[in-house]
Amino acid sequence: MTEQIDIASVHGTPVVPGVAYGPAIWPSQRPELIAEAPPLDESVRAAAQDDFIAAAKTVEGRLLARAASATGAAAEVLTANAAMAADRGWIGIAQKSIAAGVPPVQATIAATEQFVTMFTKLGGVMAERVTDLKDIRDRVIAELSGLPEPGIPAPETPSVLCADDLAPADTAGLDATKIIGLVTVLGGPTSHTAIIARQLGIPCIVAVKDLETVQAGTPVLIDGTTGEVISNPDADKAKALVEQSRLERERVSTWVGPGRTADGRPVDVLANVQDGAGARAAALTAADGIGLFRTELCFLGRETEPTVDEQAAIYTEVLEAFAGKKIIVRTLDAGSDKPLKFANHQEEANPALGVRGVRIAWQDMGILDRQLDAIAAAAARTGSSPWVMAPMIATPAEAKRFAEAVRVRGLVPGVMVEVPAAALLADQILEHVEFLSIGTNDLAQYTMAADRMSSELAELTDPWQPAVLALVARTAQAGQAVGKRVGVCGEAAADPLLACVLAGLGVSSLSCAAASVAGVGAKVGSVTMEQCVAAAAAVLATGDPASARKAAALALS
Ligand code: PEP
Ligand code: MG
């Protein structure tokens, strides 16, 4: 995009495609955090406790009101944040310190700090909630101090929102006619910012270094495909690029499937789902089926293992939503960023490298057996024959053991390729299973030795890393050699340009969030397989994600 616009630019990780042009705005100041203050006189402590409770209640009420006027993921995150503001543990700790003489603002800071430390230690998704906790803290402090609610101004002109990071309370309920793009210093492809931007359908770039050089009011052009944020571009050229992107989106919205290249080579475009409601929503798109049903997400809050009947009922809902179509169910991927209480995790120093995914089954085969029984029951009820895959397979022996347990129940076994060892021995693994599905989120994490949740390392975990794509190529070739299907179900498959590269590498299906299905299907349908193969070869010859993107864009233009 930049070659015709030679102006100062900063760069980040693109997470939602599209182009936007408008003045930059930044959220209003958060209250200053003064941790020390003289103790309260005993006579005012009871009233100070009441003030704190009232402030927390006001914040909770405002968040609930915004949740009521939002929908989907936005409503869910706002409701979850309102619950944090009403958390008994947090309120109790603050109240206790106020009773001991700590002023309400300082009590709020200290109580939140305890929770921040605890969540950070837990890591994974819990650590991602730290931004939410701090957001609640700031709102309560502003309320206690008689300051305006911190957050995003309501601009009159459509604007590009720039921020260090965005809490759900900031992003949920955003008006997409006024906020036309999101750019943040922190955040990764799976952060709330990215999720909300996807839902709003506005371009989004995260992990942008030096974003603070972009001042409020500066006209900026952002490209959610390349990750560029350009200050003071030529206005006419910028508007032309926005119009081009709008036309592209319009074309995309008319995509009806099935997934195939312009020259008619089939590449299934499938949806990632997490429950019955998600599957029904995905069924409204032109997805050819479900490429990843993340079963563990149905049970994240559960203290005890769901019974076979309970599981079968949920799985039935998903199978019914895509009756007669291809469906791949993944067995529980518990651990690390998705802890499940009933899977009995030990305290581990490195949960991402610990007993997670299929490794839990090797410690307690009962959990896997009962889940497979439930999947088989749902299959029998709906007359469908789902494929079933295991997460985090590292060796051919693991694949063999899993496949046996699946086959005895009349189901079709496959495994995920998320561990580099599995990609390297994909040919041996394929001796035991019928298909492979590459999880690029974890494959990138383990190939690059970089935590997928770390925004500091977002460039390393970028699925465009040529080393990650080399492992994808090797896995796809192993599948082609024996005529077995190899799909991709990580975030990589949601990027239309990368989807074409993956098809060119020999991947036979692409599974992504329902919101990305049309964009991926339309892009793949606009290029020939020959172009995809050329793009794949060009990308494999590069050494970094930015060069890889450029090489692919050139080959696919
Ligand atoms: C992946 O790792 O790419 C994947 C699809 O699994 P998850 O994101 O659920 O770990
Ligand atoms: Mg994974």
Side-chain angles (χ1 to χ4, degrees):
M1 173 173 96
T2 44
E3 49 204 30
Q4 63 274 56
I5 302 180
D6 182 26
I7 313 283
S9 72
V10 287
H11 199 273
T13 302
V15 286
V16 182
V19 178
Y21 171 59
I25 54 164
W26 286 81
S28 55
Q29 286 292 318
R30 303 235 148 223
E32 203 186 335
L33 299 179
I34 302 166
E36 303 284 333
L40 294 176
D41 190 81
E42 260 200 78
S43 62
V44 299
R45 291 181 191 173
Q49 285 192 51
D50 291 346
D51 289 348
F52 168 75
I53 300 280
K57 271 237 152 303
T58 304
V59 169
E60 181 200 0
R62 282 196 200 122
L63 290 169
L64 284 176
R66 286 169 64 187
S69 57
T71 54
E76 276 168 33
V77 291
L78 283 166
T79 309
N81 273 24
M84 272 192 200
D87 184 84
R88 288 229 202 117
W90 176 72
I91 289 180
I93 293 172
Q95 261 189 310
K96 232 173 157 181
S97 3
I98 301 170
V102 180
V105 167
Q106 285 66 37
T108 307
I109 295 172
T112 310
E113 208 40 52
Q114 280 194 29
F115 276 73
V116 165
T117 310
M118 189 167 80
F119 278 34
T120 308
K121 261 201 196 134
L122 284 170
V125 275
M126 299 312 281
E128 283 208 337
R129 304 307 304 270
V130 162
T131 303
D132 308 348
L133 282 172
K134 291 183 176 167
D135 177 66
I136 302 289
R137 174 199 64 196
D138 293 349
R139 284 171 197 277
V140 171
I141 291 176
E143 186 60 27
L144 284 166
S145 318
L147 296 170
E149 199 181 9
I152 295 156
E156 287 185 1
T157 327
S159 303
V160 174
L161 178 59
C162 301
D164 286 343
D165 201 1
L166 289 167
D170 288 327
T171 47
L174 279 184
D175 176 355
T177 61
K178 289 288 186 296
I179 303 294
I180 52 174
L182 295 182
V183 190
T184 59
V185 177
L186 299 173
T190 54
S191 60
H192 286 303
T193 307
I195 292 167
I196 298 292
R198 243 173 239 132
Q199 183 173 317
L200 290 172
I202 57 177
C204 177
I205 306 171
V206 297
V208 181
K209 289 194 193 91
D210 301 325
L211 184 62
E212 63 284 355
T213 58
V214 177
Q215 311 245 314
T218 310
V220 287
L221 178 66
I222 67 165
D223 186 333
T225 302
T226 62
E228 279 166 305
V229 181
I230 301 167
S231 299
N232 294 309
D234 177 288
D236 289 339
K237 285 178 183 165
K239 283 179 193 156
L241 287 166
V242 171
E243 178 58 9
Q244 198 179 315
S245 156
R246 193 188 63 76
L247 291 174
E248 174 67 15
R249 263 190 270 184
E250 229 171 65
R251 192 178 64 73
V252 159
S253 66
T254 60
W255 186 75
V256 289
R260 60 179 163 219
T261 57
D263 54 331
R265 300 281 291 276
V267 182
D268 290 348
V269 181
L270 310 168
N272 291 352
V273 305
Q274 62 182 68
D275 54 20
R280 286 187 289 276
L284 299 175
T285 72
D288 296 308
I290 294 175
L292 170 63
F293 170 20
R294 289 183 163 102
T295 54
E296 68 281 355
L297 297 186
C298 303
F299 310 119
L300 278 186
R302 296 280 305 232
E303 299 279 338
T304 53
E305 185 184 337
T307 63
V308 171
D309 279 350
E310 273 178 89
Q311 292 190 52
I314 295 175
Y315 305 156
T316 299
E317 278 189 51
V318 173
L319 298 185
E320 275 172 347
F322 274 81
K325 298 216 170 130
K326 175 175 177 174
I327 299 175
I328 304 180
V329 182
R330 176 173 76 183
T331 54
L332 296 172
D333 184 20
S336 189
D337 56 324
K338 291 168 287 194
L340 284 187
K341 291 204 178 111
F342 60 84
N344 294 334
H345 298 300
Q346 318 277 336
E347 271 275 315
E348 293 178 308
N350 269 316
L353 301 179
V355 182
R356 61 165 292 201
V358 78
R359 297 168 186 183
I360 287 174
W362 309 150
Q363 296 205 333
D364 177 0
M365 201 58 190
I367 291 187
L368 177 61
D369 280 335
R370 287 184 289 277
Q371 183 174 27
L372 292 176
D373 286 344
I375 298 169
R381 253 178 236 174
T382 53
S384 50
S385 28
W387 293 9
V388 184
M389 65 183 180
M392 291 296 293
I393 289 286
T395 68
E398 285 183 327
K400 181 167 184 274
R401 187 169 175 194
F402 177 76
E404 281 163 4
V406 173
R407 280 204 182 92
V408 292
R409 291 168 171 90
L411 301 166
V412 180
V415 300
M416 289 193 73
V417 173
E418 300 172 285
V419 179
L424 293 169
L425 295 192
D427 51 349
Q428 289 188 42
I429 287 178
L430 279 165
E431 288 171 17
H432 305 294
V433 296
E434 300 307 321
F435 69 97
L436 301 177
S437 181
I438 306 172
T440 45
N441 307 336
D442 277 312
L443 187 62
Q445 155 163 276
Y446 297 125
T447 303
M448 306 305 294
D451 185 346
R452 62 190 266 189
M453 294 298 169
S454 162
S455 45
E456 278 90 0
L457 303 177
E459 197 185 333
L460 283 178
T461 49
D462 190 328
W464 281 90
Q465 281 289 352
V468 177
L469 295 173
L471 288 175
V472 171
R474 185 179 174 113
T475 309
Q477 278 158 18
Q480 284 182 331
V482 292
K484 291 186 178 175
R485 298 181 71 81
V486 175
V488 168
C489 63
E491 286 302 312
D495 174 339
L497 199 63
L498 186 48
C500 299
V501 172
L502 297 171
L505 291 172
V507 159
S508 49
S509 66
L510 302 156
S511 193
C512 55
S516 305
V517 162
V520 168
K523 181 72 191 171
V524 170
S526 73
V527 293
T528 62
M529 184 54 84
E530 198 184 331
Q531 279 180 294
C532 293
V533 170
V539 161
L540 289 180
T542 65
D544 63 88
S547 315
R549 281 189 173 91
K550 270 195 195 127
L554 196 66
L556 294 164
S557 59

